[in-house]
Amino acid sequence: DPKIIQKPKYLVAVTGSEKILICEQYLGHNAMYWYRQSAKKPLEFMFSYSYQKLMDNQTASSRFQPQSSKKNHLDLQITALKPDDSATYFCASSQDAGVPLYFGSGTRLTVL
Amino acid sequence: GDSVTQTEGQVALSEEDFLTIHCNYSASGYPTLFWYVQYPGEGPQLLFRASRDKEKGSSRGFEATYDKGTTSFHLRKASVQESDSAVYYCALSADSNYQLIWGSGTKLIIKP
């Protein structure tokens, strides 16, 4: 059974709309992360959370907002979507704010 | 800043060939080094890691030895199989923080 669940697996959106990517982990980890993968940048770190608090943000745009309602949840809200946001978004977790990371299977977002 | 440089692009081999994917790093102190593998449609998975000079990491027939002298952590496998087709990432975590620094990834293609 997958220990990190990402929903949905595929997502199509129109330019200017807003979407939420869901991530839940059942590994008992205290730290969670978002990464983005596209043809332009193979694996790009976006955010890290530890005990539901933001630790690091490497995303230049405020259109990307993580949301942590529970320790094992870290959703990603993306507003005012652009075609350049098209990518696969991976959620990951680790025991604490450290390594190694365990990844979910990703949400593939296409913005038309 | 810290960085990882690995074999660019892709490597095409036949089954039972010997594999080497080069990974060199730049970091102060003693970073922890990792190899991750990503199969199509999945998130990266940890292959193994090493934390000390001369330490060997290994898994599924793959191995790499931490070499502080040459700042390298080259991935090797004696006899590749079709099921090894994937993208391989070298990464490091520096002493001072938890964030992973990723290489650009190397796609392994096994020719029929």
Side-chain angles (χ1 to χ4, degrees), chain A residues 9 33 35 37 42-43 45 48 55-56 58 90 97-105, chain B residues 32 34 36 38 41-46 49 89 93 97-100 102-105:
Chain A
K9 189 165 179 65
Y33 311 79
Y35 278 78
Q37 188 173 50
L43 205 54
F45 169 80
S48 62
M55 298 294 289
D56 198 358
Q58 295 291 327
F90 288 103
V99 292
L101 299 184
Y102 296 85
F103 285 81
S105 56
Chain B
T32 298
F34 303 82
Y36 279 81
Q38 185 177 22
E42 299 181 14
Q45 303 173 22
L46 177 68
R49 59 178 163 175
Y89 290 95
S93 175
N97 63 64
Y98 59 89
Q99 193 180 124
L100 276 178
W102 296 84
S104 57

Side-chain angles (χ1 to χ4, degrees), chain B residues 57-106:
Chain B
S58 64
S59 175
R60 311 182 206 176
F62 292 90
E63 62 179 39
T65 300
Y66 193 132
D67 190 331
K68 189 168 173 59
T70 58
T71 61
S72 67
F73 193 54
H74 305 317
L75 181 68
R76 294 186 166 94
K77 186 174 185 183
S79 175
V80 295
Q81 305 300 314
E82 188 176 356
S83 57
D84 296 327
S85 298
V87 179
Y88 293 83
Y89 290 95
C90 184
L92 72 81
S93 175
D95 291 341
S96 59
N97 63 64
Y98 59 89
Q99 193 180 124
L100 276 178
I101 308 298
W102 296 84
S104 57
T106 304

Side-chain angles (χ1 to χ4, degrees), chain A residues 11-91:
Chain A
L11 187 56
V12 179
V14 296
T15 297
S17 67
E18 171 184 316
K19 292 293 180 187
I20 296 179
L21 281 55
I22 306 295
C23 177
E24 306 170 10
Q25 57 92 1
Y26 296 94
L27 294 164
H29 288 169
N30 299 311
M32 296 185 71
Y33 311 79
W34 278 102
Y35 278 78
R36 176 169 52 195
Q37 188 173 50
S38 65
K40 296 176 186 176
K41 293 185 180 181
L43 205 54
E44 180 185 10
F45 169 80
M46 298 180 73
F47 298 97
S48 62
Y49 268 64
S50 180
Y51 292 92
Q52 294 186 264
K53 292 185 179 177
L54 179 67
M55 298 294 289
D56 198 358
N57 176 0
Q58 295 291 327
T59 304
S61 173
S62 60
R63 296 186 299 107
F64 295 85
Q65 290 292 329
Q67 299 171 344
S68 181
S69 58
K70 301 180 194 177
K71 193 179 86 169
N72 69 327
H73 282 235
L74 187 64
D75 300 336
L76 181 63
Q77 179 185 41
I78 314 174
T79 58
L81 279 160
K82 304 177 180 181
D84 264 0
D85 298 330
S86 298
T88 300
Y89 291 80
F90 288 103
C91 176

